[in-house]
Amino acid sequence: MTQKAFKYRFYPTSEQETLLKMTMGCARLVYNRALAARTEAWYEHSRRVGYSETSTMLTSWKKQEDLQFLNEFFSLLNAK
């Protein structure tokens, strides 16, 4: 069986580049916080944290004053 690979180059506009950077930054923040919460729950309480609980955490994080930009970012994504 022959396998092929393709390379694509992406040249985003400045608006797209800004949106991509915001997306990756927010995704990294949310992932790291969720991972920390799951790790803490497992090692300190021997309990698993599932998707629904993590989703609830995200909702509460978006309400925190220092993380208001997450709420604004998700609103921006839904508008596009």
Side-chain angles (χ1 to χ4, degrees):
M1 179 166 62
T2 304
Q3 294 183 348
K4 292 184 179 182
F6 297 94
K7 283 189 176 183
Y8 294 95
R9 186 93 175 144
F10 178 56
Y11 298 100
T13 64
S14 60
E15 180 185 355
Q16 290 171 331
E17 187 175 353
T18 302
L19 190 58
L20 283 168
K21 286 180 181 179
M22 287 173 54
T23 301
M24 294 303 138
C26 289
R28 183 174 49 246
L29 175 82
V30 169
Y31 176 82
N32 287 335
R33 281 183 167 246
L35 180 62
R38 288 176 174 213
T39 302
E40 179 183 334
W42 179 253
Y43 285 112
E44 292 184 13
H45 308 290
S46 296
R47 143 182 113 74
R48 294 185 187 270
V49 175
Y51 173 81
S52 60
E53 197 172 343
T54 306
S55 180
T56 304
M57 287 180 202
L58 175 58
T59 303
S60 67
W61 294 336
K62 291 190 316 185
K63 293 177 183 177
Q64 293 178 8
E65 190 173 324
D66 60 332
L67 297 175
Q68 279 294 308
F69 66 91
L70 286 176
N71 204 18
E72 295 165 7
F73 173 72
F74 286 111
S75 295
L76 176 67
L77 282 182
N78 289 332
K80 293 225 175 226

